[in-house]
C-alpha cells in the first residue's frame, strides 16, 4: 500500500513590516532550503534559505539578473507601480548579465580593489576620530548620558566615505540617505511613496552628475562620466545614474547595518567583547561573525531562473523572481553547526558566510565595508570600552523591512554611569 502524498506547503505571505528575521528563517529552513513566498502586492516568488543552495544559486549559469527574464514583470501581470520594481527596473551592473555586467563592473571595480581601498585608511581613521568626538559630546549633553550610535557614528562614517568617493557635496548627504532608505530598504511603503522617492533620487543624482560634468574632480562620478565620453557607448545616462545609485546605497546602508549589528552583538555578549579586547580574537573576526550571525541584508531581490531550476530538492519555475536569503543561510546548522544561533567570534569557518554574495556578482565594495567596519569597531571600543546599550536589546525598534536587517535607532551610553 503506497503512503499518502504529503500536502503541499502553503507559500509564506511576507509581512511588509519585516522585523527580526531569525525565527521565521528557522521555521522556513526547517521545511527545506527553498521556500515559496508571496510578496507584498500578491506577487508569487521564492526565497533561497539554505547555505549550500544559496551558494549554488548565486553562481548558477542559468540564473539571471536582467528582469527581461521575468515574464510577470513585462506582461502586465505585476503592476507598473509595484514598489519592489525598483530592484528590477534600475539600470546598472546589479541588473545586468554577461558582457553588459562585465562592462559596467569594470568601470567601478578598479576603485574598490583591496589596494585602492587601503589608500582610504587615513581618511576613514580621521572621520572615525571626529565622529567619536561627536558621539561623546552628544552623550555628555544628554541628561541620561545617552546618544544614538546610528545617528552620530554608524551612519555618517560610511555615508561620508562613499559620498566623498562619488564627489557628492555634504549638503546632499542627509537627503540621499533618506531617499535610498525609502527606495532600497523600507518595504512597508506605498507605491506613491516609492515612486516619488525614486523620481527625487534620480533627479538629485542627475544634479550631482551635472555638477561633476561641469567641474570634473578626482572622484568616481567624474571617472564614470569620462569613461562614458571617451568610449561613446560605454555608459549611457541611465546606466550612469543607476551605477551612482547602486554605489551610494550599497556603499552606506549595508555598512551602517553591519556596524550597528556588531555593536549590538558585542554589547549583549560581553564575553565575546572581552576576547577581542584581550587579543584572543580580532576585529576582523567580529566583522565576519556578525556578517554570518546577523548580516546587514536579510532577503535581497531579485534573480530569475532562465529555465526550470532544480535546487535543494525543489524546482523553481523559469522566470520566478527569487530573493537571496542571506540571514537564513548565515545560521544554517548544516554548515555552521548545531550552535549556529550562537554569536562566537572564535568560530572556525565564520568567513564562509555569503553576506557579500558569490560568483560574478560578489560585492565589489566588500574590501571597503570590511575596512570601515574594523576601524569603526576597534576605535569605538578603544575610546569607550564600557559602552553599552541604553535600553534592553529586545526593545530596540527594528527596521520596517524584510530586506534590511537591523534596528532604526541604537541608543547607547558611551561611558558607564
Amino acid at each position: 500500500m503506497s503512503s499518502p502524498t504529503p500536502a503541499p506547503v502553503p507559500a509564506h505571505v511576507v509581512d511588509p513590516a519585516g522585523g527580526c528575521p531569525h525565527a521565521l528563517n528557522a521555521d522556513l529552513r526547517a521545511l527545506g532550503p527553498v521556500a515559496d513566498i508571496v510578496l507584498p502586492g500578491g506577487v508569487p516568488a521564492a526565497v533561497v534559505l539554505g547555505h549550500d543552495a544559496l551558494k549554488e544559486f548565486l553562481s548558477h549559469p542559468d540564473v539571471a539578473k536582467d528582469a527581461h527574464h521575468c515574464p510577470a514583470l513585462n506582461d502586465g501581470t505585476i503592476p507598473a507601480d509595484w514598489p519592489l520594481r525598483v530592484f528590477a527596473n534600475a539600470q546598472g551592473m546589479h541588473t545586468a548579465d554577461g558582457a553588459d555586467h562585465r562592462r559596467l563592473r569594470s568601470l567601478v571595480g578598479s576603485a574598490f580593489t583591496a589596494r585602492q581601498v587601503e589608500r582610504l585608511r587615513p581618511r576613514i581613521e580621521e572621520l572615525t576620530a571626529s565622529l567619536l568626538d561627536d558621539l561623546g559630546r552628544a552623550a555628555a549633553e544628554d541628561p541620561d548620558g545617552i546618544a544614538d550610535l546610528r545617528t552620530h557614528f554608524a551612519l555618517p562614517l560610511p555615508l561620508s566615505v562613499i559620498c566623498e568617493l562619488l564627489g557628492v557635496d555634504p549638503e546632499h548627504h542627509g537627503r540621499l540617505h533618506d531617499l535610498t532608505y525609502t527606495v532600497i530598504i523600507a518595504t512597508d511603503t506605498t507605491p506613491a511613496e516609492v515612486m516619488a522617492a525614486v523620481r527625487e533620487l534620480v533627479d538629485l543624482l542627475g544634479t550631482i552628475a551635472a555638477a561633476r560634468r561641469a567641474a570634473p574632480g578626482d572622484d568616481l562620478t567624474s571617472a564614470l562620466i569620462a569613461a562614458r565620453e571617451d568610449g561613446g557607448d560605454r555608459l549611457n545616462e541611465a546606466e550612469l545614474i543607476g551605477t551612482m545609485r547602486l554605489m551610494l546605497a550599497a556603499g552606506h546602508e549595508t555598512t551602517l547595518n553591519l556596524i550597528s549589528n556588531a555593536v549590538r552583538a558585542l554589547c549583549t555578549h560581553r564575553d565575546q567583547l572581552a576576547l577581542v579586547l584581550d587579543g584572543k580574537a580580532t576585529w576582523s573576526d567580529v566583522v565576519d561573525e556578525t556578517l554570518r550571525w546577523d548580516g546587514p541584508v536579510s532577503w535581497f531581490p531579485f534573480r530569475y531562473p532562465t529555465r526550470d531550476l532544480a535546487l535543494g530538492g525543489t524546482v523553481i519555475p523559469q522566470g520566478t523572481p527569487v530573493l537571496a536569503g542571506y540571514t537564513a543561510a548565515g545560521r544554517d546548522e548544516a554548515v555552521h553547526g548545531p550552535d549556529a544561533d550562537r554569536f562566537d567570534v572564535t568560530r572556525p569557518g565564520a568567513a564562509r558566510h555569503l553576506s557579500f554574495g558569490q560568483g560574478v556578482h560578489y560585492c565589489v565594495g566588500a574590501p571597503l565595508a570590511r575596512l570601515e567596519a574594523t576601524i569603526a569597531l576597534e576605535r569605538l571600543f578603544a575610546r569607550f570600552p564600557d559602552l553599552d546599550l541604553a535600553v534592553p536589546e529586545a526593545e530596540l525598534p527594528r527596521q520596517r523591512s524584510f530586506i534590511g536587517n537591523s534596528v532604526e535607532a541604537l541608543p547607547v551610553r558611551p561611558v558607564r554611569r
Side-chain angles (χ1 to χ4, degrees), residues 345-362:
V345 297
T346 65
R347 179 183 303 276
R352 288 186 294 167
H353 64 79
L354 299 170
S355 288
F356 288 129
Q358 178 76 19
V360 297
H361 286 280
Y362 184 85

Side-chain angles (χ1 to χ4, degrees), residues 76-402:
T77 301
I78 296 176
D81 64 352
W82 187 50
L84 293 176
R85 268 190 179 273
V86 297
F87 292 94
N89 291 352
Q91 293 189 42
M93 65 183 181
H94 58 308
T95 57
D97 300 305
D100 273 346
H101 172 256
R102 291 190 293 272
R103 172 177 62 91
L104 294 167
R105 189 177 176 103
S106 70
L107 294 174
V108 300
S110 60
F112 293 96
T113 64
R115 182 176 181 179
Q116 287 297 103
V117 166
E118 184 61 29
R119 294 181 180 180
L120 298 174
R121 179 182 291 274
R123 179 55 178 152
I124 295 171
E125 292 174 340
E126 179 185 18
L127 282 168
T128 298
S130 175
L131 292 170
L132 288 175
D133 291 342
D134 291 344
L135 180 68
R137 279 194 296 268
E141 293 169 0
D142 183 82
D144 297 316
I146 296 172
D148 183 3
L149 186 132
R150 281 175 72 90
T151 298
H152 294 284
F153 185 63
L155 168 60
L157 176 60
L159 182 59
S160 296
V161 171
I162 196 63
C163 282
E164 288 182 10
L165 275 174
L166 288 169
V168 177
D169 294 334
E171 67 194 74
H172 298 308
H173 290 192
R175 189 58 185 157
L176 285 171
H177 168 65
D178 292 342
L179 292 170
T180 56
Y181 182 86
T182 300
V183 172
I184 303 296
I185 302 297
T187 52
D188 65 341
T189 46
T190 66
E193 289 172 330
V194 173
M195 295 303 292
V198 168
R199 285 193 295 268
E200 185 179 350
L201 180 58
V202 169
D203 288 346
L204 183 51
L205 292 174
T207 298
I208 294 166
R212 297 282 67 81
R213 189 176 288 111
D218 185 18
D219 57 77
L220 184 55
T221 301
S222 297
L224 291 172
I225 292 169
R228 175 191 175 191
E229 293 174 347
D230 291 345
D233 63 351
R234 292 200 70 199
L235 196 69
N236 63 41
E237 186 69 13
E239 290 171 336
L240 172 64
I241 298 302
T243 300
M244 292 174 65
R245 188 170 97 179
L246 172 64
M247 294 295 100
L248 174 68
H252 87 276
E253 294 285 2
T254 53
T255 307
L256 160 63
N257 284 359
L258 171 58
I259 294 170
S260 300
N261 292 359
V263 171
R264 285 192 300 119
L266 292 169
C267 286
T268 54
H269 298 79
R270 307 300 296 195
D271 60 325
Q272 300 299 302
L273 175 59
L275 289 173
V276 185
L277 296 179
D278 291 344
K280 296 176 182 177
T282 68
W283 292 108
S284 292
D285 294 331
V286 173
V287 169
D288 274 320
E289 179 65 350
T290 302
L291 287 164
R292 180 201 70 82
W293 184 74
D294 201 21
V297 176
S298 189
W299 294 5
F300 195 77
F302 288 116
R303 284 174 166 83
Y304 318 96
T306 59
R307 61 172 176 81
D308 290 354
L309 185 67
L311 190 71
T314 298
V315 175
I316 306 176
Q318 178 180 346
T320 300
V322 183
L323 291 81
Y326 293 115
T327 51
R331 296 197 185 190
D332 188 345
E333 294 182 356
V335 172
H336 297 292
D339 67 343
D341 280 339
R342 185 167 64 90
F343 181 73
D344 179 4
V345 297
T346 65
R347 179 183 303 276
R352 288 186 294 167
H353 64 79
L354 299 170
S355 288
F356 288 129
Q358 178 76 19
V360 297
H361 286 280
Y362 184 85
C363 178
V364 71
L368 178 58
R370 286 185 179 280
L371 182 63
E372 290 174 335
T374 51
I375 291 174
L377 294 169
E378 179 181 11
R379 301 302 169 87
L380 173 66
F381 285 100
R383 178 82 68 93
F384 305 116
D386 294 323
L387 179 140
D388 208 349
L389 303 182
V391 300
E393 204 251 354
E395 296 179 11
L396 294 172
R398 299 288 312 192
Q399 287 185 328
R400 296 184 63 81
S401 175
F402 57 82

